[in-house]
Amino acid sequence: MSTEEPAPPENFEKAAPEPSGVDLARVALRAAKEAARARGDAAQQKKQARRGGLRSGARADGRDPMALGSAINRLITERGWEAPAAVGGVMGRWPQIVGEDLAKHCVPERYDDDPAERVLTVRCDSTAWATNLRLLAPQLVARLNEDLGHGTVRMLKVQGPAGPPRRYGPLRAPGSTGPGDTYG
C-alpha cells in the first residue's frame, strides 16, 4: 500500500484566500456607495413628484432645447414623412431636375404617397408641353428615383392646362368650345 495522497483533479481550483483588511474595506465602501445612491435616487424621485414632475438640471435630457433642423428631422423620422418630405424638396428644386425650359411650362402639383401608387402629378401650360412630358416620363421617373430613392415615384401623371369653365346659355353658339387646341 502506498502512503501518497491522491492528486486533485485538473479542473480543481484552489480556494480563494480570505479577503484581507484592505479588501474588506473596499467591498464595504462599494456597498455603502451603492446603498447611498439608491437612497438618493429614491429621495430625488419623491422630491420631483412633490414638485410636479421633472425639472431641468445640469445634465442633458430629452427636454433640452435643440436646433431647429434637428427637431424637424426628428419629427419627420418619427412620423414617417421621409418620402413626402423628399418629394417636397424635389418640388422646390424642380428647375434643376427637369431643366429650365421644361420647368417654365410644367409644374409639379401633388404627390400621392399611397404605397400602391406613388404618383407625382404635373400640370403643363399647353397640350403640346403635356405631350412632350408624357414622352419624357420614363426618363423623368428614373431621374426622380435616382435622386429620392428607388420606388419613391412609380408613375408620372401629366395633365394639360385647366381651361375656363364651359358656359352655356342663349348668347353662346352651339358647338363653339373656344380654343380647343390649348385646353385639354
Side-chain angles (χ1 to χ4, degrees), residues 64-151:
D64 287 344
M66 62 174 53
L68 181 62
S70 300
I72 289 174
N73 288 337
R74 187 170 121 195
L75 179 67
I76 287 171
T77 303
E78 286 175 356
R79 302 287 173 115
W81 294 339
E82 289 93 359
V87 172
V90 164
M91 290 182 179
R93 298 182 287 121
W94 185 251
Q96 290 85 19
I97 293 173
V98 299
E100 292 293 327
D101 288 339
L102 196 59
K104 288 178 187 174
H105 301 284
C106 303
V107 179
E109 280 192 342
R110 178 180 35 178
Y111 175 69
D112 294 324
D113 190 29
D114 182 19
E117 295 184 11
R118 295 188 176 167
V119 177
L120 179 64
T121 304
V122 179
R123 181 159 312 271
C124 298
D125 62 1
S126 72
T127 54
W129 280 104
T131 303
N132 189 21
L133 190 62
R134 284 186 190 104
L135 294 173
L136 295 173
Q139 291 91 3
L140 188 57
V141 168
R143 185 182 294 167
L144 288 169
N145 284 329
E146 213 174 88
D147 195 38
L148 301 172
H150 181 67

Side-chain angles (χ1 to χ4, degrees), residues 5-18:
E5 288 184 27
E10 290 180 23
N11 59 359
F12 179 77
E13 295 181 18
K14 293 184 179 182
E18 289 292 320

